[in-house]
Amino acid sequence: MTETTASAPPKPTGWRKKWRNAQRFTFSKSKLSTRNLDRLCRDTATDEMTLVIHSEDVDHGPYFPNAYTVTKREDVPADMHVDLYYRDLKNIPDESYNVILCTGLLEHIPDPDRIIADMYRILKPGGRLIISASAVFSFHECPNNFFHFTPYGLRLLFKAWTRFDMLRGASQPFETVGILIQRILLQCDIFPIFRPIIEGLAYSMRLFDRTIIKQYETREFRDSRSECETMLPSNMQAVVVK
């Protein structure tokens, strides 16, 4: 597959720049989805040497202080910079880490089985992979956005591993809707007068999660067979043991 990047058009100037900025203005610069990544890091924190792969969207440093960082992003400081699809992970020795943290990457790999096999190879026996990947989320980093995942898809991908210590959706349904509304703000030019209203909706939507009594993963049978913790997560999070 050819790795290409579209060339950027000329940047607007003068009143065109002001109008464009008004169409993209937000009061808050933080991402609602980041708080769930922070929770994942907090819940799985360790002082062990950790291979951190493509986890720049969250401040993992306080939770994984002994980290060796790997990224494709040339503008991000890291211990190792690799190719677009992380094929250079092959240069990391076998069974060299007890813990791998990998967030926001799996959906951007055209052959996820290959990178999962690499991470399996790198982990020591009994080692843990802490991973998150998009579920109900906007298209992003296109054209390199290939897959979004369900818990069943992750169980299939990791069927050769020993077990899951944790497998969960990162957000409740209305919280996910709020995250998606914020992504509309981040990825769409919108008439400026409406942007504060939409931003307010994004930040208030999760309050409606308090109204939910039970959730089901299918409409076919709404009983104990399909009851679940969240039927509409923005991303899936897992801890998988080699």
Side-chain angles (χ1 to χ4, degrees):
M1 181 177 294
T2 303
E3 301 173 6
T4 59
T5 302
S7 59
K11 292 183 179 181
T13 58
W15 68 267
R16 288 187 176 86
K17 179 179 179 181
K18 292 178 180 178
W19 174 242
R20 187 201 65 179
N21 291 344
Q23 295 173 77
R24 301 180 182 185
F25 174 79
T26 57
F27 288 100
S28 175
K29 304 306 176 185
S30 63
K31 295 179 182 177
L32 290 173
S33 55
T34 300
R35 66 177 56 157
N36 294 317
L37 290 177
D38 186 78
R39 179 167 64 103
L40 174 65
C41 291
R42 185 172 64 250
D43 290 349
T44 57
T46 180
D47 291 331
E48 293 183 89
M49 280 298 301
T50 302
L51 178 63
V52 177
I53 303 173
H54 188 88
S55 296
E56 298 89 8
D57 290 336
V58 61
D59 182 11
H60 56 78
Y63 307 111
F64 301 91
N66 297 306
Y68 183 88
T69 56
V70 178
T71 184
K72 68 183 179 183
R73 296 173 179 166
E74 296 180 358
D75 60 327
V76 174
D79 296 299
M80 179 180 180
H81 287 88
V82 297
D83 63 290
L84 180 61
Y85 298 138
Y86 288 76
R87 297 187 183 97
D88 291 337
L89 291 180
K90 66 180 182 294
N91 297 322
I92 298 177
D94 295 359
E95 299 185 359
S96 51
Y97 287 89
N98 279 321
V99 182
I100 296 176
L101 172 69
C102 179
T103 64
L105 175 61
L106 200 60
E107 62 265 31
H108 302 293
I109 301 298
D111 47 353
D113 283 329
R114 185 264 308 165
I115 196 169
I116 288 171
D118 249 340
M119 292 188 286
Y120 186 91
R121 175 188 59 78
I122 292 167
L123 279 174
K124 296 178 181 179
R128 297 178 299 136
L129 169 62
I130 304 159
I131 191 167
S132 75
S134 290
V136 183
F137 202 69
S138 62
F139 300 157
H140 58 290
E141 292 191 29
C142 293
N144 296 301
N145 188 190
F146 303 104
F147 306 100
H148 288 195
F149 298 92
T150 67
Y152 302 101
L154 289 182
R155 289 190 184 279
L156 184 63
L157 284 170
F158 290 99
K159 63 183 178 181
W161 293 53
T162 298
R163 68 180 187 275
F164 283 86
D165 276 355
M166 182 264 283
L167 178 60
R168 70 189 184 196
S171 54
Q172 292 299 309
F174 284 107
E175 182 182 1
T176 300
V177 172
I179 290 169
L180 293 176
I181 290 173
Q182 187 187 53
R183 295 301 302 195
I184 293 172
L185 286 171
L186 294 174
Q187 295 183 225
C188 297
D189 291 348
I190 298 172
F191 277 105
I193 193 172
F194 295 109
R195 291 191 69 88
I197 301 170
I198 296 169
E199 187 168 4
L201 280 174
Y203 278 85
S204 60
M205 284 304 299
R206 66 176 182 157
L207 297 175
F208 290 100
D209 284 317
R210 300 176 183 177
T211 69
I212 296 175
I213 300 171
K214 290 184 179 180
Q215 299 180 53
Y216 306 93
E217 60 188 12
T218 179
R219 293 179 58 197
E220 300 305 316
F221 40 86
R222 288 173 60 176
D223 54 35
S224 59
R225 291 174 293 173
S226 67
E227 195 172 334
C228 62
E229 292 183 0
T230 176
M231 44 70 69
L232 195 74
S234 63
N235 65 79
M236 293 302 305
Q237 299 178 347
V239 177
V240 200
V241 178
K242 177 176 176 177

